[in-house]
Structure formats: structure tokens, C-alpha cells
Amino acid sequence: MNIHRLRRLFSRALHASLATPLVLAGCDGSEGSVDLTGYAEVACTEQGLSVSGLTLTPAPDFVQLRYISTYGGPAPSTYANAAASGEPCATATDVPACKTALENANVTAGFHNVCVDFCSEAFLVTTRGDEVKTYGTLAELQQLLGTVDTEQEAVLKTFASGYTLLCGNREQGAVKTNADGSFSVIATKGYACGPGTELTQHVLKVTASGEVQEQEKRVLEKGDPNCNIGRRPVGLQVAEACDGPEALGRYFANAAHLEAASVHAFLRLRDELALHGADVGLQDAARRSAMEEVQHARVTDRLARRFGGTPQRPVVEDLPPRSLMDVALENAVEGCVRETYGALLAHHQAMHARDLEVRQAMVRIAEDETRHAALSWDIDQWARPRLSEEDRRTLREAQKRAVALLREEVAVPLDASIIKEAGMPTPEAALALLDTLEQDLWA
């Protein structure tokens, strides 16, 4: 699609939306939270959950929490920028050999999926004398812990069981010792970013034998359907919470999460376009879009932290290449519908955000996202003639459903600060924007 035509259409949609009432609305997706009496914050270091406070027998010289990344390469890569306790190889007879073994210690699979760079898992590594040992499964971790008899051991077992514990926030990361010797732990799952998502709070009981039993579950926050500006990749997993005490911080943390996810989407798109014989121009445009999304993620990350938010990087499952029909179907929904509307939203924010830094950031993002939307329509135009009539009919129906779902999502009220400071449209204005796009693009 000619990008100038898209700009003219966006201009007309923005003009039409000005006639809608600027009613500021708030929302609260919380169903209440647990009584925190007696709970303490989980122990943390600057790198995350602490691995001190573990009563291991025999005691190791050194314990470290590590992560592996399994995305985009023939073998997992390891990074060890997480919490540690003790002195590496303190009692080894051959210290250089011990330290070399520690540096190379790795596993093929870990016990917790996390949001660090790409799709990652966690494991523990210890040194004791000359022995360097890894623990990458729940069974191995339990063998290391033995009887769970400290609060931090209960926290670590909860983390390993797939829950997230947030440092410095008892509502999302807390622990207490019970009279019977068990432990109660508060943790979360999920994140509130996008339609159908939610951040849930869980109250868990961890027994001395290491069994993790869920006692209570409640929704802390419903997903904001308007948080995603970029293209969502296939295989995007529910990740750790996009956290922040204020709505504006959470909004930009969620935006940063989705912008980072868009990098994966465009890199995958570039590879699949090459696989199916698309011309080099489309492939290069997808690669350039990925690089632009890197910049968008940095900008929104900075805004999130300014407003007290804590962005999390996306976890994207490494899936095999898809058929041309599957690529075209995702492009029709994520690109021609959601990304096109997202580009229009960015223009609205560039015009209406009261915060100067937000307004300046959205000017750049809006222009880039308009090019990305135009690329989606170019890919659609390239792919459709290569599909059967039945496949093309499937694409049309999928777009109609995507538009209908988008119409439901934008009707959800937003916090007043997101409308004022970030420039997001009210539900009335958002529906007016959608009306114009539907008449000219999706009818």
C-alpha cells in the first residue's frame, strides 16, 4: 500500500475522532488482594531473587542462579548475571580447573521460563571442593534442598514451580512461616498486557517435603487491550508481570514488552518471506522494521521507568517455519488490522499526549509504525494471488473477526492518566478511529 495513502487515511480518521466527547474514564481490574499480615518481602539482591538463606547439607562453597537462552541458535547460550552466594571454588584443590568448569557449567533445560532477552529457563550451579554441579529440574533442585526449612528455600521452590515473585512488593512476592513448619508464599502468574491476559495473585503453601500447593488465586489486573503498538509474534508466551505502582508506568511497561516482542515478529517474518520466495524488497523492509522496533522498545522502556514501571522482555517460543497460508493469515490479522490500528493510535498519541517526552517519542514511533502497516498491506498484496480462493476467503473472514474483536477491546475504559499524559483515545474516540479504518480498509 502506498504509504502516502495510509497517511491521508490516518489524517481523516484523526479529524473524525475530534468530534467525539473527551470523557476521561478509569478502570480497575483488581478483585482484591490477600491479607498480608505476617508476610515479609522475599529476599533479593540487585540481580533478583537471593540464593542466600539456604540450609544445604553438605554446604557448598558457592551457589548461583543462572539462565539459559534457547532462542535462535543451534545450542543454548548461558548467562550468569543472576544472584549468587559464597565464594566460587573456595575449597577446591585445583582452583583454575574448578573455575573453568564453573564457567562452562550449563544445562539443556531448566526449571523456570523467564523473560530475559529471549525464551529462557533457570537453573542452579554449585561448587563444593573440586565438584561443580548443575540443577536444572525440579527433582534435582529438591534433592539439593532436602527438607524445605527456610523461607528462602520455600521461595526458590515456588519460583522453580513456575511462579513469579516480585522483589520489593509484598502483594506480588512475599513469604511467612506457619506454625506447622510449612510456609505460605505469595506469587503471581501472567501479565496484564493485551486482550484476554491477566495478572493473577496466588497464595501457595510449601511443605517441608517441597510440595507446592495452591491455596488461593485472584485477579490483580485485567489485560489492557490497548497496550500493544507493534506486531505480536507467533509463539509469544505469557511472561512475568509488566509491573509498576501507577497506571502510566504499567502502560509504558506493557508497551515496551510488546515493542520488544515485535522485534521477534519481524525477524521471523523476514525469514519466512525468504523461505516462500518473496522479493528482496519485502525481506529487507521486514528486517528494517525489526531494527526500528528495537529503538521503540528502548524509548518505551525509558518512559516506563520514568513513570515507575518495570518492563519485562518477551518470551517467544521457537517454532518451525510456517506455510505461506499461515504467514498470510497472521499478517492479515496482526499486520493489516492490529498493526494498522496501532499506527493510527501512535499518531493520536503524538497529537494529544500532554507529556512532552511522550509526545516527542510518539512522533517518531508513529512514522515508523505507519511504514510497518504499509508493509503489512504490501505483504498481503503479494501473498493473496499465491493462495487458493478458499484460503483468500479464510483471510477475509479472519480480518472481519479481528476487527470485531478490536471493536470490543477499544471500548474498555482507560485510566485517566493514560488518556491525559500518554494521549490514548477515550473509548468513544477509539471507536471513531476504527470506524474510519473499517470503511476504507476492512469493509
Side-chain angles (χ1 to χ4, degrees), residues 6 10 14 225-231 251 259 293 296 333-350 362 365-370 372-373 406 410 424-425 433-434 437 442:
L6 205 52
F10 285 174
L14 291 165
N226 298 303
C227 75
N228 53 315
I229 298 173
R231 174 187 289 240
Y251 168 79
E259 292 286 11
E293 296 290 6
H296 298 178
V333 171
E334 290 295 322
C336 297
V337 176
R338 302 194 70 90
E339 191 168 36
T340 300
Y341 178 70
L344 178 54
L345 278 185
H347 281 283
H348 188 281
Q349 291 180 267
M362 297 315 299
I365 289 176
E367 184 60 24
D368 290 346
E369 295 293 348
T370 302
H372 301 174
L406 196 55
V410 302
M424 285 291 288
L433 294 174
L434 265 179
L437 292 187
W442 304 320

Side-chain angles (χ1 to χ4, degrees), residues 17 20-23 410 425-433:
S17 73
T20 61
L22 296 177
V23 178
V410 302
T426 64
E428 294 82 5
L431 289 170
L433 294 174

Side-chain angles (χ1 to χ4, degrees), residues 170-194:
R170 285 194 303 159
E171 191 178 52
Q172 298 183 38
V175 61
K176 71 175 181 179
T177 303
N178 299 320
D180 63 358
S182 66
F183 301 89
S184 292
V185 181
I186 297 175
T188 65
K189 280 189 174 182
Y191 68 102
C193 182

Side-chain angles (χ1 to χ4, degrees), residues 231-390:
R231 174 187 289 240
R232 300 173 302 185
V234 61
L236 179 63
Q237 302 295 296
V238 172
E240 297 186 10
C242 295
D243 182 66
E246 302 296 335
L248 204 56
R250 293 194 301 271
Y251 168 79
F252 279 112
N254 290 333
H257 176 86
L258 268 296
E259 292 286 11
S262 295
V263 178
H264 297 257
F266 279 113
L267 290 176
R268 180 184 180 90
L269 179 62
R270 187 266 170 205
D271 291 343
E272 290 179 326
L273 287 173
L275 176 66
H276 294 295
D279 64 69
V280 175
L282 290 178
Q283 297 177 40
D284 287 346
R287 181 183 56 82
R288 286 195 303 271
S289 297
M291 298 305 100
E292 289 168 347
E293 296 290 6
V294 171
Q295 296 301 318
H296 298 178
R298 290 173 180 168
V299 169
T300 48
D301 183 284
R302 184 172 65 249
L303 287 170
R305 296 181 190 280
R306 176 190 155 197
F307 292 114
T310 306
Q312 300 294 333
R313 294 185 177 90
V315 170
V316 181
E317 186 179 356
D318 191 11
L319 299 174
R322 297 168 296 172
S323 67
L324 176 59
M325 174 56 188
D326 287 340
V327 174
L329 184 59
E330 182 200 42
N331 182 73
V333 171
E334 290 295 322
C336 297
V337 176
R338 302 194 70 90
E339 191 168 36
T340 300
Y341 178 70
L344 178 54
L345 278 185
H347 281 283
H348 188 281
Q349 291 180 267
M351 291 175 59
H352 294 281
R354 187 167 69 178
D355 185 274
L356 177 60
E357 186 181 3
V358 173
R359 210 161 54 241
Q360 291 173 338
M362 297 315 299
V363 168
R364 163 68 186 276
I365 289 176
E367 184 60 24
D368 290 346
E369 295 293 348
T370 302
R371 283 197 302 275
H372 301 174
L375 171 62
S376 299
W377 288 97
D378 288 341
I379 292 171
D380 186 75
Q381 186 178 18
W382 166 80
R384 283 184 187 256
R386 292 165 172 78
L387 302 173
S388 68
E389 178 56 38
E390 182 179 356

Side-chain angles (χ1 to χ4, degrees), residues 170-234:
R170 285 194 303 159
E171 191 178 52
Q172 298 183 38
V175 61
K176 71 175 181 179
T177 303
N178 299 320
D180 63 358
S182 66
F183 301 89
S184 292
V185 181
I186 297 175
T188 65
K189 280 189 174 182
Y191 68 102
C193 182
T197 63
E198 59 186 20
L199 175 64
T200 54
Q201 180 192 61
H202 302 258
V203 180
L204 307 140
K205 179 180 179 180
V206 183
T207 66
S209 63
E211 184 180 1
V212 178
Q213 304 168 349
E214 189 162 303
Q215 306 288 302
E216 300 178 44
K217 173 184 175 181
R218 55 179 53 79
V219 176
L220 286 180
E221 187 178 355
K222 293 287 188 180
D224 173 7
N226 298 303
C227 75
N228 53 315
I229 298 173
R231 174 187 289 240
R232 300 173 302 185
V234 61

